[in-house]
């Protein structure tokens, strides 16, 4: 295969569906799904995904850049690895999704929507991951890195969103995220329909949704701002030295979710509001008929504000920073 991204965008199956280099065997499993296995036995398994949202092109370009040297036989591979471009039909049209946001549909939630390409795609990804993790040794390390870009600008241009997890996060995983240049980590406290939540809940994988910059068309990305992320991926995949972390990521956790309930929903933030903008206690954030959302803690930070979602879906998250005072201040 010449180029995994071009192959996926073409919508055609490759003429040659498997091959090998001196270091690895690869197998094209389906559109946007590539299995790569080192010729030597390893104890690490990694799912590396991007393009779950079709307009988030920088991570797709990064993913392609790190796997091409492997396909050309120039680099060894240290992981049993599944490489995924999540939503090929959305990637082809440059849209976030065609009909449904697939990053809300994992964990069987696709059964609640009409049967169509996106429901079937989520089922296929779920089944592919299940097979991938099942064939591994039981003491294999399982990681899943799902790379995205945010719709908005952000006070932290690179950050990670961690799914709800009862177990402690492995320190090697947190160290890798710091080395990848993430400035902040956001910890969910309830289950969700994301790809990384699925890997963590069902297969015990250490997983993170990486948010790398702002969504731009193919070719318009300045990948230099993600050089630490690319170097950290090279370390993970090829066994290069892990770059030193330049700072410790700040830790936030979700305090409350703003949900769009009806067509009366109003979000009291401008379209330019950046991710991690702070709001003081008592601020009216949104309203929907009788329901009003206020800042409850001394200070809360907004993440992913988006009023243009379907009723019943998340229109924003409010965060508190770990270690900051979380009690309500006296009025
Ligand atoms: Zn995304």
């Amino acid at each position: 295969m010449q180029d995994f991204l071009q192959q996926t965008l073409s919508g055609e199956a490759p003429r040659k569906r498997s091959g090998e280099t001196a270091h690895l065997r690869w197998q094209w499993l389906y559109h946007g799904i590539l299995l790569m296995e080192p010729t030597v036995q390893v104890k690490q398994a990694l799912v590396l995904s991007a393009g779950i949202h079709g307009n988030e092109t920088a991570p797709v370009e990064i993913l392609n850049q790190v796997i091409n040297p492997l396909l050309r036989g120039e680099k060894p591979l240290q992981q049993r690895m599944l490489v995924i471009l999540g939503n090929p039909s959305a990637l082809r049209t440059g849209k976030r999704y065609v009909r449904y946001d697939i990053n809300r549909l994992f964990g069987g939630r696709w059964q609640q929507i009409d049967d169509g390409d996106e429901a079937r795609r989520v089922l296929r990804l779920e089944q592919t991951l299940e097979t991938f993790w099942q064939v591994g040794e039981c003491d294999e390390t399982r990681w899943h890195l799902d790379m995205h870009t945010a719709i908005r600008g952000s006070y932290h241009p690179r950050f990670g969103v961690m799914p709800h997890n009862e177990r402690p996060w492995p320190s090697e995983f947190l160290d890798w995220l710091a080395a990848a240049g993430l400035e902040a980590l956001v910890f969910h406290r309830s289950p969700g329909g994301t790809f990384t939540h699925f890997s963590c809940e069902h297969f015990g994988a250490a997983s993170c949704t990486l948010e790398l910059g702002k969504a731009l068309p193919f070719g318009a990305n300045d990948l230099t701002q993600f050089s630490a992320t690319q170097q950290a991926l090279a370390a993970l995949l090829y066994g290069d030295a892990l770059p030193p972390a330049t700072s410790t990521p700040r830790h936030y956790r979700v305090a409350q979710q703003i949900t769009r309930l009806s067509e009366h929903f109003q979000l009291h933030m401008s379209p330019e509001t950046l991710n991690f903008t702070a709001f003081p206690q008592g601020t009216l954030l949104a309203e929907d008929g009788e329901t009003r959302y206020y800042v409850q803690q001394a200070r809360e930070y907004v993440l992913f504000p988006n009023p243009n979602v379907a009723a019943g879906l998340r229109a924003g998250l409010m965060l508190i920073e770990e270690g900051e005072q979380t009690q309500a201040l006296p009025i």
Side-chain angles (χ1 to χ4, degrees):
M1 189 166 20
Q2 287 293 308
D3 183 290
F4 180 53
L5 173 58
Q6 291 312 320
Q7 186 69 56
T8 305
L9 291 176
S10 78
E12 305 283 330
R15 249 172 306 178
K16 193 172 168 228
R17 297 195 180 188
S18 62
E20 56 186 49
T21 72
H23 310 289
L24 61 91
R25 285 180 292 271
W26 61 265
Q27 197 184 347
W28 183 90
L29 299 180
Y30 195 68
H31 299 282
I33 308 178
L34 188 65
L35 176 68
M36 295 174 121
E37 295 175 300
T39 44
V40 295
Q41 218 178 2
V42 292
K43 289 283 184 201
Q44 297 98 265
L46 170 71
V47 174
L48 182 63
S49 54
I52 284 284
H53 293 135
N55 60 335
E56 299 175 359
T57 57
V60 171
E61 291 174 343
I62 291 171
L63 177 144
N64 208 45
Q65 282 185 11
V66 296
I67 66 158
N68 273 338
L70 293 167
L71 288 171
R72 290 195 297 258
E74 295 162 10
K75 292 283 184 183
L77 178 61
Q78 309 293 326
Q79 310 271 335
R80 208 166 63 76
M81 182 164 70
L82 196 56
V83 182
I84 294 176
L85 293 175
N87 191 341
S89 35
L91 273 171
R92 267 174 232 126
T93 53
K95 295 209 169 74
R96 184 171 169 84
Y97 51 83
V98 180
R99 287 183 62 211
Y100 295 98
D101 183 342
I102 68 171
N103 215 25
R104 305 283 178 273
L105 297 178
F106 285 91
R109 288 168 180 80
W110 51 269
Q111 293 168 75
Q112 291 155 20
I113 61 163
D114 318 334
D115 185 27
D117 284 354
E118 280 156 330
R120 289 176 192 193
R121 183 67 178 172
V122 176
L123 171 62
R124 183 176 294 275
L125 293 178
E126 288 184 354
Q127 289 174 336
T128 306
L129 258 62
E130 187 163 4
T131 308
F132 176 71
W133 301 121
Q134 263 173 3
V135 301
E137 305 282 325
C138 57
D139 58 345
E140 202 178 45
T141 306
R142 296 173 170 184
W143 286 16
H144 178 187
L145 300 169
D146 185 32
M147 301 192 289
H148 288 245
T149 58
I151 298 172
R152 304 208 172 206
S154 175
Y155 282 109
H156 299 303
R158 295 173 305 277
F159 60 96
V161 182
M162 318 287 283
H164 170 69
N165 184 4
E166 302 287 350
R167 298 168 299 269
W169 292 99
S171 57
E172 300 79 23
F173 190 63
L174 296 176
D175 290 348
W176 187 89
L177 295 172
L182 301 191
E183 296 180 359
L185 296 178
V186 176
F187 294 84
H188 268 290
R189 295 192 303 163
S190 54
T194 61
F195 202 8
T196 50
H197 185 88
F198 176 72
S199 293
C200 182
E201 184 188 352
H202 291 266
F203 308 109
S207 60
C208 179
T209 306
L210 281 74
E211 298 284 349
L212 305 170
K214 197 168 180 257
L216 293 168
F218 278 122
N221 296 299
D222 171 15
L223 296 185
T224 57
Q225 54 181 319
F226 311 118
S227 60
T229 312
Q230 265 176 302
Q231 279 178 44
L233 282 171
L236 193 62
L237 271 50
Y238 319 145
D240 295 357
L242 192 64
T246 49
S247 62
T248 310
R250 288 162 73 160
H251 285 197
Y252 297 84
R253 62 188 165 88
V254 175
Q256 56 172 323
Q257 172 170 316
I258 300 170
T259 304
R260 184 187 176 113
L261 302 170
S262 73
E263 73 274 23
H264 303 297
F265 181 80
Q266 273 188 294
L267 185 68
H268 297 301
M269 291 175 204
S270 89
E272 284 78 41
T273 304
L274 298 178
N275 282 325
F276 298 97
T277 297
F279 293 90
Q281 189 175 48
T283 308
L284 177 63
L285 300 163
E287 58 193 301
D288 199 336
E290 299 287 286
T291 307
R292 291 193 163 84
Y293 295 93
Y294 292 98
V295 175
Q296 291 162 6
Q297 307 294 335
R299 180 166 35 185
E300 295 180 7
Y301 303 82
V302 72
L303 186 64
F304 304 137
N306 181 9
N308 306 315
V309 293
L313 289 186
R314 180 186 84 194
L317 289 172
M318 299 306 295
L319 314 176
I320 48 177
E321 187 170 1
E322 296 282 353
E324 212 174 343
Q325 185 185 14
T326 55
Q327 293 300 308
L329 293 176
I331 296 169

